[in-house]
Amino acid sequence: MTCLILFYEFFKVGLFSFGGGAGMIPLIEEMVTKYSWLSEEEFYNLIGICESTPGPIAVNMATYVGSTQAGAAGSLLATLGVVLPSFLIILLVASVMKSLTENRWFRGFMRGVSPVILGLIFSTGAILMLKSLGYVSLREFRPDITSLTILLLLAGFFFLLPKLTGKKVGAVPLILFSAAAGIGVSVLYEALGILS
Amino acid sequence: MLLSLFSVFFRIGLFTFGGGYAMIAQIREEIVEKRKWLTEGELTEIIAIAESTPGPLAINLATYVGYKHGKVRGSLAATVGVVIPSLVILYLISLFLDSFMENRYVAYAFTGIKCAVAFLILKAGLDMLPTLERRPVPLILFFTVFLLMILFELFSVTFSSLLFILGGGLIGMLLCAVGRRGEGRK
C-alpha cells in the first residue's frame, strides 16, 4: 500500500514540477509532511544531501524517501513515479507532438505557470532562511546565533571568492564549506559557552 | 548503440552535481562535442522543450536524445542509465543516514548545510528572475503566490501549491483566450 502511495505521490511531483530542482522542493515538502514521512528537520537535511550527491535532485529525493518508507521496492517505485511523467511526455513530444511547445494554449498555460513557480521558489527560500535564523512561530523567535554566523560566512564565501579567483562558486563547494563552517562555529561557540 | 546511450548517460548521472542547469554544460560536452549526437542548435531546442515540460531536466534530455538515436528502446536505455547512479547512491545513504546523524559533529555540519540550502534555493530564484515577464498579470501572480505562501506558513495553514500551479496555468490560458478575441475585434 505504501508503495502505491509513494508511486502516486511522486508521479504527481514529476507531472507538476516545472523549472528544475528548486521548483519541486515545495511540492515534495508538502507531500512528506502530509504523510509524516519526514520531519521538517529531516527534510532540510535531505535537500542538503541531494544537492551534494550526483544526479537529478528529484530522483535523489524519491529514492531516499521511498527507501525509508518501504525499503528497496519503495525506492524503486518512488523513482519510477517521479521519472515516468517526463519520460512519457518527452516521448510524445519527440515522436508525434513536435509542435506542442508552439501551441498557443500550451504557451498560455506555461506563461501563467512560470511566475507561480518563481513565487513558490522565493517563498520556500525565504521561509527556510527565517527558520534557520530562529523563527519558530508567530509568538516565538529564538535567535540562532550559530546559524546567523554561518550565513554571514557563507555570504562572504559566496560573494568574495568569485572576486578573488574570478570563478563562480558551485553548489558542491558551497555545501562543503557550509558543513565545515557548521562544525567550526558550533564547536567554537560551545567552547565559549554561548551554546548550552 | 543502446549500450553507448546507456553508458554515456550513466556517466552523466554519476558525475553531474547540483541538478538541472549545472548538468547542461556536461551534457553539452558529452553529447555535442565528443559524440556529435546532437548539433548545438538541437541542444538549445531540446533545452527549451525540457524547460516547458514537467520533470527533471536530465530525464527530459536523456529521453529525447535516446529517442532520436534509438527510438523507444534508446530512450529507455538513456533514461535508465541517467537514473541508476542516483538510485544506488541515495539508497545506500538512506540505509546509514539515521545512525550517521547521531554523531554530534555530523549534526553540526548539517546546521551549516541547512543554511547553504536556504542560500541555494534563493539563488536559484534569483537566477530565474530575468525570465519573469514584466507585465501586470505575471507580476501579480508572482507576488500573490509569494505573499500567500509566507502567510500560510506564518499562520500554519495547510495548502497545496499544486492548486497555485494549476490556477496560474488556467489564468494564462484565459488570457490567451481573451487576447484572441481582442485580436478578432480589431
Side-chain angles (χ1 to χ4, degrees), chain B residues 62-168:
Chain B
T63 309
Y64 198 97
V65 175
Y67 185 83
K68 263 205 80 183
H69 288 271
K71 298 291 160 191
V72 178
R73 273 158 61 194
S75 63
L76 261 177
T79 308
V80 170
V82 86
V83 165
I84 283 187
S86 295
L87 195 65
V88 173
I89 293 171
L90 266 292
Y91 180 70
L92 292 177
I93 289 181
S94 76
L95 298 181
F96 302 110
L97 189 67
D98 277 344
S99 48
F100 195 54
M101 289 299 292
E102 279 164 24
N103 181 294
R104 215 170 100 211
Y105 295 99
V106 173
Y108 286 161
F110 273 96
T111 314
I113 291 176
K114 191 173 163 186
C115 297
V117 169
F119 210 85
L120 285 172
I121 295 177
L122 285 175
K123 192 186 155 279
L126 285 176
D127 287 345
M128 285 166 75
L129 203 55
T131 65
L132 179 67
E133 281 185 82
R134 306 299 197 267
R135 306 178 92 194
V137 178
L139 287 176
I140 293 173
L141 275 174
F142 169 72
F143 284 111
T144 318
V145 170
F146 176 73
L147 287 176
L148 279 180
M149 285 305 284
I150 290 194
L151 287 177
F152 287 162
E153 176 69 35
L154 294 182
F155 294 99
S156 318
V157 180
T158 345
F159 184 82
S160 168
S161 39
L162 260 185
L163 293 176
F164 277 136
I165 297 177
L166 289 175

Side-chain angles (χ1 to χ4, degrees), chain A residues 181-193:
Chain A
I183 298 174
V185 174
S186 304
V187 169
L188 180 74
Y189 283 1
E190 221 172 39
L192 294 174

